[in-house]
Amino acid sequence: MKNTESVMDKAKNGRRLSFEDALALYHHEDLLEVAEAARMAKERKSGNRVFYNVNRHLNLSNICAAGCPLCAFACGKNDETAYAMDIEDVDELLTETMLNVTGLTEMHMVSSLHPEKPFSFYEEVIRQIKRRMPDVHLKAFTPVEIVHFSSISGLTIREVLARLKYAGLDSLPGGGAEILDDEIRKIICPHKATSQEWIEVMETAHSLGLPTNATMLYGHVETIEQRIRHLITLREIQDRTGGFQAFVSFPFHPENTALSHLKRVSAWEDMKMIALARLVLDNFDHIKAFWMMLTLPLAQLSLAFGVDDLDGTVQEERIIHAAGAKTGSGIGKAELVALIQETGYQPVERDTFYQPVGCEDGVVEK
C-alpha cells in the first residue's frame, strides 16, 4: 500500500493520481480528509458555484432485446407493463411539456433496445422534437443504443452518429458504461455493447463535435480495482478527445432485477466514490450528482465531496424507479436552489454547456 500522506498531498495539490494512488485513497480511513481534497479540486474548477438545469426526461419504450440482469425497466413486448411510444405519443408529450414546464433548456432521452423499431424511427423522433422545440438542447441515446442502431441499420457507428446529428441531435448522455470491463459486463449485461464499443461511440461522437457525459454504475459484482480502472479509462479518453462534459456515478439499485439478492451500497460508499471520482478525473470540469439515484439528502451532502452539479428538474423518469428508487419523478427549481444555498454554495442555473441562464436575484452569476 502506498504512503497515504504523500498521496493526500498529491490530491490536495491537484497532481495526477495513479491507479495505486487512487486505491490508497479508497482505503484511507479518514473519509473527511478525502472529501476535503475533493472539495479543493471542485473549487479549483468551478469556484463557489453549483449548477442545475431545467430539463425533462423521455423514455420511448421499455421493450428491450438485451435482457440485462442488472435492469428492472426492460421487458418483452407481451408483458403487461410493456409500452412503446410512437411519433404521435412523443408529440403529445411535447405539447404537455410546453404547456407545463417553464424555462426548459434540455430534453434528455434514453430508451431500451427495441427489437422492431427501425433506425428511421429514431431519426424522425429527433426531427419532431427539434421541429416543436427548436431552441431546446436534445441530449439523447446512450452508446449502447448507438451500437444497437448500427446493428439494425447496417450503418457504421460514425454513420449513425452523423445521421442523428444531421437530424438534430445535440449531445449524448453517458449511460450504459456500467463498468468498462468485459468480464463484469458478461455477468450484468451480456448482450449489449462491449467496453470497446462504448469507447468507440464516445470517441467517434467527440470527433464529430457531439459532446457527451460519462458514467459508472457501481455496487454490484465489480471489485474496487475495476472501478478505479474504469475511472482511469475515462480519464484517458478525455485526454485524447476532451469531449466529456461531466461525470456521473450511479449506485446500483438491485430491487426488481435478476441481481436482487445484492444490497444497495451504503451512503458512506456513495460519498467515497464521488470524492474519488473528482480526484481521479482531473481533466473533467464537472462531477454531477444524479439525485434520483442518490436521494435528495445524499445529493445535497455530495456537494461537500466534490460535486458541482445537482442535475435537473427531470419531470419524469422511469428506468431508475423501476429498480426501486424511492425519489420523486421531478423537482422544482426553488427546491433545488434552496438545497444548494443551504450548503453555502451559489446556485447557478445552466444550459447543457454549463453557460448561466436566467436572471434570478442572488441565484445566477453572469
Side-chain angles (χ1 to χ4, degrees), residues 149-222:
F149 297 158
S150 174
S151 175
I152 62 175
S153 67
L155 300 169
T156 66
I157 285 171
R158 178 171 291 275
E159 289 169 338
V160 166
L161 287 167
R163 284 177 56 158
L164 293 173
K165 183 180 180 183
Y166 182 75
L169 180 68
D170 295 307
S171 68
L172 273 66
E178 323 309 6
I179 295 292
L180 294 173
D181 182 306
D182 287 328
E183 292 306 309
I184 294 299
R185 299 179 80 81
K186 287 177 185 175
I187 299 170
I188 64 174
C189 54
H191 304 302
K192 69 182 188 185
T194 65
S195 299
Q196 188 53 48
E197 287 172 329
W198 190 94
I199 293 169
E200 181 185 353
V201 171
M202 288 307 196
E203 293 193 329
T204 306
H206 298 170
S207 73
L208 291 170
L210 288 167
T212 76
N213 285 341
T215 64
M216 175 173 71
L217 181 75
Y218 64 93
H220 37 83
V221 298
E222 84 287 356

Side-chain angles (χ1 to χ4, degrees), residues 1 4 20-31 34 224-225 228 272 276:
M1 184 66 68
T4 305
E20 290 76 17
D21 294 335
L23 193 60
L25 283 184
Y26 178 85
H27 291 292
H28 185 45
E29 292 180 349
D30 189 344
L31 179 59
V34 179
I224 303 307
E225 287 80 2
I228 294 173
K272 183 183 292 187
L276 194 63

Side-chain angles (χ1 to χ4, degrees), residues 122-331:
Y122 301 97
E123 292 178 289
E124 182 55 26
V125 168
I126 288 178
R127 284 192 289 267
Q128 184 63 8
I129 292 173
K130 298 304 278 190
R131 275 194 291 266
R132 297 292 310 277
M133 298 177 168
D135 297 325
V136 171
H137 182 103
L138 178 55
K139 176 187 290 181
F141 306 132
T142 66
V144 172
E145 292 172 271
I146 299 298
V147 171
H148 174 68
F149 297 158
S150 174
S151 175
I152 62 175
S153 67
L155 300 169
T156 66
I157 285 171
R158 178 171 291 275
E159 289 169 338
V160 166
L161 287 167
R163 284 177 56 158
L164 293 173
K165 183 180 180 183
Y166 182 75
L169 180 68
D170 295 307
S171 68
L172 273 66
E178 323 309 6
I179 295 292
L180 294 173
D181 182 306
D182 287 328
E183 292 306 309
I184 294 299
R185 299 179 80 81
K186 287 177 185 175
I187 299 170
I188 64 174
C189 54
H191 304 302
K192 69 182 188 185
T194 65
S195 299
Q196 188 53 48
E197 287 172 329
W198 190 94
I199 293 169
E200 181 185 353
V201 171
M202 288 307 196
E203 293 193 329
T204 306
H206 298 170
S207 73
L208 291 170
L210 288 167
T212 76
N213 285 341
T215 64
M216 175 173 71
L217 181 75
Y218 64 93
H220 37 83
V221 298
E222 84 287 356
T223 65
I224 303 307
E225 287 80 2
Q226 287 165 329
R227 293 184 198 174
I228 294 173
R229 289 193 193 98
H230 177 101
L231 293 175
I232 290 177
T233 296
L234 297 179
R235 187 174 72 186
E236 290 171 347
I237 297 170
Q238 184 75 329
D239 278 343
R240 292 193 293 273
T241 72
F244 288 130
Q245 296 200 103
F247 170 79
V248 199
S249 55
F250 303 137
F252 176 58
H253 284 250
E255 190 174 325
N256 302 321
T257 75
L259 302 172
S260 60
H261 59 285
L262 300 175
K263 289 185 177 178
R264 162 83 164 85
V265 299
S266 66
W268 188 269
E269 187 76 5
D270 288 330
M271 295 304 109
K272 183 183 292 187
M273 287 312 304
I274 285 170
L276 194 63
R278 170 58 88 177
L279 293 170
V280 172
L281 299 175
D282 56 5
N283 51 3
F284 279 61
D285 286 340
H286 306 289
I287 303 294
K288 179 185 297 190
F290 206 43
W291 61 263
M292 281 184 300
M293 295 193 84
L294 284 173
T295 73
L296 280 169
L298 284 184
Q300 184 191 37
L301 183 62
S302 74
L303 300 183
F305 287 75
V307 161
D308 73 333
D309 183 3
L310 278 190
D311 194 52
T313 54
V314 180
Q315 299 301 314
E316 180 182 3
E317 193 286 329
R318 302 191 190 197
I319 297 173
I320 300 160
H321 290 86
K326 301 300 189 294
T327 48
S329 59
I331 186 174

Side-chain angles (χ1 to χ4, degrees), residues 50-68:
V50 169
F51 299 95
Y52 69 96
N53 71 344
V54 177
N55 63 353
R56 193 199 199 291
H57 281 217
L58 169 58
N59 307 126
L60 289 172
S61 175
N62 62 351
I63 301 170
C64 186
C68 299

Side-chain angles (χ1 to χ4, degrees), residues 77-147:
K77 67 179 181 181
N78 295 321
D79 192 288
E80 64 180 15
T81 62
Y83 78 94
M85 300 176 74
D86 55 26
I87 296 296
E88 289 72 26
D89 295 324
V90 172
D91 201 55
E92 184 177 337
L93 181 143
L94 297 177
T95 299
E96 177 265 331
T97 300
M98 293 165 71
L99 287 172
N100 296 304
V101 180
T102 301
L104 184 77
T105 58
E106 178 185 284
M107 286 289 288
H108 180 127
M109 182 169 66
V110 296
S111 301
S112 59
L113 310 184
H114 196 288
E116 298 172 359
K117 294 281 189 185
F119 176 55
S120 58
F121 167 75
Y122 301 97
E123 292 178 289
E124 182 55 26
V125 168
I126 288 178
R127 284 192 289 267
Q128 184 63 8
I129 292 173
K130 298 304 278 190
R131 275 194 291 266
R132 297 292 310 277
M133 298 177 168
D135 297 325
V136 171
H137 182 103
L138 178 55
K139 176 187 290 181
F141 306 132
T142 66
V144 172
E145 292 172 271
I146 299 298
V147 171

